[in-house]
Amino acid sequence: ARAPVERRSGLVVIELELSMGGIVQGAKVMSRPSPFDNAALDTVRGWGFGVPRDPTGAEQLFVYAVVGFREPVTQ
């Protein structure tokens, strides 16, 4: 059975921990819990990033992402 389609809009703020190669190693929701959290996490886990060639002194790299969901538009 398919999951029901969410009929509201929402935003999810996510903290991504990156490897020095720009690969997502960890992701956690920073905003209040919502029905969109799992979809947002599934989306960002596949992202990759370019990082500075010489991230001097960096032990960890973090990116903060806002993932938005819009109510389906119907005619």
Side-chain angles (χ1 to χ4, degrees):
R2 287 183 76 182
V5 174
E6 184 61 43
R7 295 286 180 195
R8 295 180 296 152
S9 298
L11 294 173
V12 180
V13 178
I14 299 177
E15 177 185 80
L16 302 170
E17 182 179 355
L18 306 180
S19 71
M20 292 309 224
I23 305 295
V24 175
Q25 292 184 316
K28 68 179 179 178
V29 173
M30 303 300 289
S31 50
R32 294 188 333 188
S34 81
F36 302 104
D37 291 354
N38 288 335
L41 287 169
D42 288 346
T43 298
V44 300
R45 284 188 177 123
W47 290 358
F49 297 84
V51 296
R53 291 178 191 241
D54 183 22
T56 304
E59 294 181 15
Q60 292 180 298
L61 298 173
F62 293 91
V63 170
Y64 293 85
V66 177
V67 181
F69 297 87
R70 291 182 53 192
E71 185 173 343
V73 177
T74 58
Q75 295 181 354

